Amino acid sequence: MRADGPVVIALDGSPHSEHTLEWGLHEASLRGADVVLARAWTDPRDLVEWSWYPMVDAELDAETTTYLSEKQAVALDRYPELTVTTRSVRGGEVPVLRELSAAAQLLVVGARGRAGHLRMGSIAAHLAAHSRCDVAVVRGGEESWPVPGAPVVTGVDGSRASLAAAEAAAREASMRSVPLVVVHARPTISDPYGRGMPALSARAATDVDVNDPTHRAAQAVGTRLRTQHPGLEVRVALLDDDPAHALVEASKEAVLVVVGSRGLGAFRGMLLGSVSSDVVRNAASTVLVLHDGLHDGPPD
């Protein structure tokens, strides 16, 4: 998790952009980071293909620049302590934002984008896997802010990525002064999203299977995080459930879910592990995806 570079907030003019902007500004304020408001633009496809009307690139650039300037004014009014700049870039959203992510500590994108009826837009899905820095996929709006004191949630499975996610989640929880819930789930069902499948309840954190080394390891992670972050309330939830399903269920009561880009089940070359991918697509809350910087090549 990088500590240098700005927080890049991707805006696309959709209604959801307002919530994405507010979430990104609040996160940048917590981190004490600079902010870059970014928007990519391209010539309208029908005009490019048919060339019925002349279209000057400068006009589109000016329109985007005006939009970003308006959002910059809003940002500085709400967070006068932040340094906020803007970037209007011609090109596809995924390649433009991925390029900007190379020098950033965090890329903030809306989950839905312009296709507001979709739970997960293709832009957010691509960037969650291909960004060169950590990515926050923002969900919700003013009507669905989490209750005060809602926890940050993360999952641990013993992988390096999950342990890094636990460290990052502890920092996020400490910055927000909220509890941290560390989830360790043992798979017990083949289709956690099957019809009529009831959600499995958590085992009590004190109900540790002493014969299960993963239970002991999860408890050890919780103990270490409490030591490293004095005053932070750390809860360890031991579940018999599919890991992705457990995190999605926990996200319903969370302010943020933090996942690593790859877990134990991800094979070399896989940019986003199956658990992280499921959580990004289905979580009820904003999801922070950590990247380890090991995939700097072009996306497939």
Side-chain angles (χ1 to χ4, degrees):
M1 183 175 180
R2 290 182 55 173
D4 60 334
V7 171
V8 176
I9 306 175
L11 303 175
D12 59 14
S14 68
H16 189 56
S17 277
E18 298 300 320
H19 182 59
T20 302
L21 174 63
E22 178 58 33
W23 194 96
L25 292 173
H26 180 62
E27 181 71 14
S29 179
L30 292 175
R31 295 179 178 220
D34 293 343
V35 173
V36 175
L37 305 181
R39 186 173 184 181
W41 58 272
T42 57
D43 294 324
R45 186 170 183 176
D46 55 344
L47 296 178
V48 172
E49 291 180 352
W50 291 95
S51 299
W52 285 352
Y53 302 100
M55 179 60 68
V56 180
D57 290 344
E59 294 179 2
L60 288 172
D61 190 18
E63 180 182 342
T64 303
T65 299
T66 299
Y67 167 80
L68 290 175
S69 295
E70 293 172 352
K71 299 308 177 186
Q72 181 184 37
V74 170
L76 292 174
D77 180 62
R78 295 176 184 172
Y79 296 88
E81 77 278 8
L82 294 178
T83 298
V84 182
T85 58
T86 63
R87 289 289 303 274
S88 170
V89 186
R90 180 180 182 179
E93 290 177 282
V94 170
V96 164
L97 294 173
R98 185 173 186 270
E99 184 64 26
L100 292 177
S101 73
Q105 64 174 280
L106 178 66
L107 174 62
V108 180
V109 298
R112 290 177 292 183
R114 287 189 291 270
H117 62 285
L118 297 176
R119 181 160 182 79
M120 182 72 174
S122 61
I123 303 300
H126 277 82
L127 290 169
H130 296 291
S131 173
R132 294 179 177 178
C133 70
D134 300 342
V135 181
V137 179
V138 179
R139 279 199 174 86
E142 292 183 358
E143 73 285 354
S144 59
W145 282 106
V147 298
V152 172
V153 170
T154 191
V156 291
D157 61 8
S159 67
R160 184 182 66 172
S162 76
L163 297 178
E167 296 284 354
R171 291 192 293 270
E172 292 288 337
S174 294
M175 288 192 298
R176 291 170 168 78
S177 299
V178 299
L180 170 65
V181 176
V182 179
V183 175
H184 172 66
R186 299 186 300 187
T188 60
I189 53 180
S190 59
D191 184 11
Y193 297 104
R195 292 184 179 182
M197 180 64 68
L200 299 182
S201 59
R203 296 163 60 99
T206 56
D207 186 16
V208 182
D209 183 351
V210 295
N211 296 317
D212 187 338
T214 65
H215 274 197
R216 297 196 302 270
Q219 292 283 32
V221 170
T223 300
R224 184 170 72 250
L225 293 176
R226 295 184 192 98
T227 301
Q228 294 174 344
H229 300 271
L232 175 63
E233 179 185 351
V234 180
R235 309 169 192 162
V236 179
L238 304 175
L239 308 176
D240 289 325
D241 197 356
D242 174 84
H245 184 260
L247 289 174
V248 169
E249 286 296 306
S251 75
K252 296 176 181 178
E253 306 295 333
V255 66
L256 179 69
V257 176
V258 183
V259 296
S261 58
R262 288 175 283 192
L264 285 178
F267 54 84
R268 185 173 180 83
M270 190 176 187
L271 300 185
L272 196 61
S274 60
V275 171
S276 296
S277 180
D278 280 353
V279 173
V280 170
R281 288 197 309 270
N282 298 301
S285 66
T286 294
V287 179
L288 176 61
V289 182
L290 305 185
H291 283 272
D292 55 18
L294 297 179
H295 51 276
D296 292 334
D300 295 333

